[in-house]
Amino acid sequence: MSGPEIGRLGADDTRWVAARIAEAFMVLDQPRWLVPDEAKRESVLAGNFEIIVEHATRHGLVFGTGDRAGVAVWLPSVGEPLPPPEDYDARLALACGEWTPNFVHLDELFAANHPHADHHHLALLAVRPDRQGQGVGTALLRHHHTWLDANGMPAYLEASSETSRDLYARHGYRVAEPFRLPDGTPFWPMWREPVAG
């Protein structure tokens, strides 16, 4: 059985990709701390993800399945660091409102734990809730891992649940000690060395 068709997405796809990620991430613990108001959580998350996805369509790689069930957002960290998203502070404040300080704290936490060696950063991987556990995430990982392995490039990510941590471990990522939000909710930093052909 062949996997889903996967293609590169562009700026015109930014909004639906951000919405797909927000929808998938609603079940996680971290968004409850980021946006305590459940009624506003998904829309705030989507606004924040839209900034990241738009940035990745310019400076990285955004892939999606043909049926829009899953998306992966990669940012290369090779040589000079990427510039921040344009007008980031203002856009973050507009998207996140009263919870902006929580997102700033998250950014600082990620930055403090980010490796310095060259790699591609899997910033976001999301699968529509009704399609999870059906191989969509695996197909998205394998798609870019093929390029990473061929080019001798490591990968890094922050797993946000035990389920995703275990998925990534099956794809060659090694887990390090977790770092945590102020409420104790963990992220697991994970690193993958390229596999020689």
Side-chain angles (χ1 to χ4, degrees):
M1 179 178 136
S2 62
E5 179 185 332
I6 295 170
R8 188 167 175 184
L9 305 177
D12 292 346
D13 300 297
T14 297
R15 184 155 290 185
W16 77 258
V17 170
R20 171 68 65 244
I21 299 166
E23 176 192 29
F25 280 28
M26 283 293 286
V27 300
L28 299 173
D29 293 330
Q30 293 84 355
R32 295 187 186 98
W33 179 82
L34 287 167
V35 186
D37 186 337
E38 186 177 0
K40 297 181 179 176
R41 188 175 299 146
E42 190 167 353
S43 65
V44 171
L45 289 175
N48 177 63
F49 291 141
E50 197 167 329
I51 299 169
I52 300 167
V53 173
E54 188 270 340
H55 187 59
T57 63
R58 293 180 179 206
H59 298 284
L61 299 160
V62 181
F63 297 111
T65 58
D67 61 2
R68 296 189 172 191
V71 295
V73 178
W74 292 89
L75 290 166
S77 183
V78 180
E80 290 296 309
L82 290 177
E86 197 171 324
D87 299 322
Y88 181 66
D89 292 345
R91 292 171 69 192
L92 188 70
L94 189 64
C96 302
E98 65 187 283
W99 300 292
T100 302
N102 291 0
F103 285 85
V104 171
H105 182 87
L106 180 66
D107 286 344
E108 291 170 349
L109 195 59
F110 280 171
N113 288 278
H114 204 97
H116 298 292
D118 287 353
H119 63 279
H120 278 203
H121 177 207
L122 180 56
L124 298 160
L125 176 76
V127 177
R128 201 172 70 207
D130 66 334
R131 293 292 306 281
Q132 291 176 10
Q134 298 176 18
V136 177
T138 288
L140 284 160
L141 287 170
R142 285 180 177 156
H143 178 79
H144 195 51
H145 286 171
T146 299
W147 185 93
L148 295 173
D149 291 344
N151 289 273
M153 182 64 65
Y156 170 76
L157 58 83
E158 304 96 354
S160 51
S161 70
E162 292 181 358
T163 301
S164 63
R165 179 198 65 194
D166 294 347
L167 168 69
Y168 297 132
R170 290 194 297 274
H171 288 274
Y173 288 83
R174 295 180 60 179
V175 65
E177 280 298 308
F179 57 88
R180 298 176 185 274
L181 292 172
D183 69 350
T185 303
F187 287 95
W188 289 271
M190 303 186 74
W191 181 267
R192 179 185 184 273
E193 289 291 339
V195 177

